[in-house]
Amino acid sequence: MRVLVAGGAGYIGSVVTAALLEGGHEVTVLDDLSTGHADAVPSGARFVQASLHDSAPVLAEVRPEAVLHFAAKSLVGESQVKPEVYWDTNVSGTLALLEAMRAADCRRIVFSSTAATYGEPEQVPIREDAPTRPTNTYGATKLAVDAMLTSYAAAYDFAAVSLRYFNVAGAAYGLGERHTTETHLIPIALQVVAGQRDHLTIYGEDYPTPDGTCIRDYIHVEDLSDAHLLALTAPSPGQHRIYNLGNGTGFSVQQVIDAVREVTGHPVPVEVGQRRAGDPAQLVASSDRIRGDLGWTPKHTDLAGIVRDAWETAQKRA
Ligand code: UDP
């Protein structure tokens, strides 16, 4: 298939680009490099530096059969203090991309949605029919795009899939997390191991969980990537499908820190700090829907294995 990957210079987009190339697809990456890295774009892909707002000429020229859309601002804290940036990039930018697709007669899209669309869950594991009440601007913008896709499927026969990621981690194809502003637990713990930080702050130890720290569902980026390839051809014109993507098991912050110590053989000094605003105690996905519909099965569900892949890739880059 001829595909366009918006945001293919970022962590997840670059891994999926590598997997698409391996699967024999022809890939053009569109990325404005606001947070991505040009050297993360796999060498077999064509790279165009442009924003979503300027995507129309690129779509007109490439004429892709499908778009995979990863390009977004994704820092929860920043979304609370600079909401205009999030509404502009994530929502207006996506609207511009969808209009560019329509003009180029491309109506197939896989979109990176998020568990943050659900907010504080009433029930865990979270199913796709759970209420969507995002507690931050980031989640609200992603939910707005999910609604946009439902409209475009109904009105313009788009074939769309929203994949709601839980906590993506690990590395594949030598590509791992490299955020300038790092907020995620596993890469921060690995930065402590590498001596780039002197300690890790545990955001709260008084949650109603067995060890008092928050529980999250860590999914290996390679399993996530497999889901994108399955989702690419799944919907028929006029359909918008929504799938959660998690490994189905929750791990606490304390368990993650223990795994990092075990895998790296290094101490990880910690301090216990305040709760981080907007952090639910537990976020664990039910991924039964995508397992049933598309036969997706995560292969790398072991926490130590996820941490090991992230660590080995981070060491190679150092
Ligand atoms: N966390 C932490 N210290 C850190 C970073 C994260 O205790 O320095 C916790 C955070 O409160 C959450 C979990 O680790 O419970 C995962 O956070 P992350 O930012 O990786 O992902 P999120 O679940 O917020 O998308």
Side-chain angles (χ1 to χ4, degrees):
M1 232 186 209
R2 193 168 53 255
V3 301
L4 183 117
V5 177
Y11 164 48
I12 301 168
S14 62
V15 169
V16 175
T17 296
L20 287 162
L21 291 167
E22 199 174 72
H25 297 279
E26 185 186 326
V27 187
T28 299
V29 165
L30 175 129
D31 199 300
D32 65 1
L33 298 184
S34 54
T35 52
H37 307 271
D39 66 1
V41 178
S43 55
R46 177 177 166 214
F47 174 52
V48 180
Q49 185 172 352
S51 82
L52 296 173
H53 291 290
D54 299 323
S55 57
V58 185
L59 270 286
E61 196 229 307
V62 174
R63 295 252 152 206
E65 294 156 272
V67 169
L68 295 102
H69 176 25
F70 302 89
K73 304 294 279 178
S74 64
L75 297 174
V76 169
E78 185 185 55
S79 79
Q80 297 300 86
V81 292
K82 292 184 188 166
E84 73 285 4
V85 174
Y86 281 71
W87 289 103
D88 181 44
T89 303
N90 296 2
V91 178
S92 305
T94 300
L95 183 59
L97 177 68
L98 295 185
E99 284 302 289
M101 287 176 66
R102 214 150 67 81
D105 201 23
C106 171
R107 289 157 201 265
R108 182 166 291 276
I109 181 165
V110 180
F111 170 64
S112 304
S113 186
T114 170
T117 53
Y118 296 112
E120 185 83 45
E122 277 166 16
Q123 278 187 338
V124 178
I126 302 170
R127 291 158 36 112
E128 290 84 351
D129 55 9
T132 43
R133 293 185 289 239
T135 52
N136 53 62
T137 301
Y138 167 65
T141 61
K142 289 284 182 173
L143 186 60
V145 173
D146 284 345
M148 226 185 252
L149 292 175
T150 302
S151 307
Y152 272 65
Y156 299 127
D157 264 354
F158 270 49
V161 179
S162 293
L163 297 177
R164 291 193 172 152
Y165 307 165
F166 281 63
N167 290 64
V168 188
Y173 303 98
L175 299 161
E177 284 188 83
R178 270 204 283 161
H179 301 120
T180 313
T181 309
E182 191 53 78
T183 61
H184 292 135
L185 180 63
I186 293 176
I188 286 179
L190 293 176
Q191 286 176 350
V192 174
V193 168
Q196 294 157 4
R197 293 177 189 251
D198 58 13
H199 72 279
L200 180 145
T201 302
I202 296 179
Y203 297 142
E205 224 179 19
D206 56 351
Y207 282 95
T209 59
D211 65 21
T213 64
C214 287
I215 292 177
R216 295 288 180 274
D217 183 335
Y218 296 87
I219 171 172
H220 196 295
V221 68
E222 198 169 304
D223 289 328
L224 191 86
S225 171
D226 287 350
H228 284 78
L229 271 76
L230 291 170
L232 195 54
T233 50
S236 316
Q239 267 188 342
H240 175 212
R241 300 189 188 185
I242 296 178
Y243 294 121
N244 287 343
L245 282 179
N247 85 26
T249 311
F251 298 102
S252 72
V253 172
Q254 190 58 58
Q255 285 176 304
V256 170
I257 295 167
D258 290 343
V260 170
R261 289 176 176 144
E262 180 198 313
V263 165
T264 65
H266 284 261
V268 179
V270 297
E271 279 178 13
V272 179
Q274 298 294 314
R275 289 183 176 197
R276 187 170 65 178
D279 264 349
Q282 256 198 78
L283 289 177
V284 179
S286 160
S287 301
D288 290 351
R289 188 185 276 183
I290 190 166
R291 286 172 187 259
D293 283 8
L294 307 187
W296 176 77
T297 316
K299 298 187 206 78
H300 308 280
T301 53
D302 166 49
L303 180 61
I306 294 174
V307 169
R308 188 172 304 109
D309 286 351
W311 171 233
E312 286 176 0
T313 300
Q315 276 181 305
K316 278 186 206 131
R317 290 210 62 83

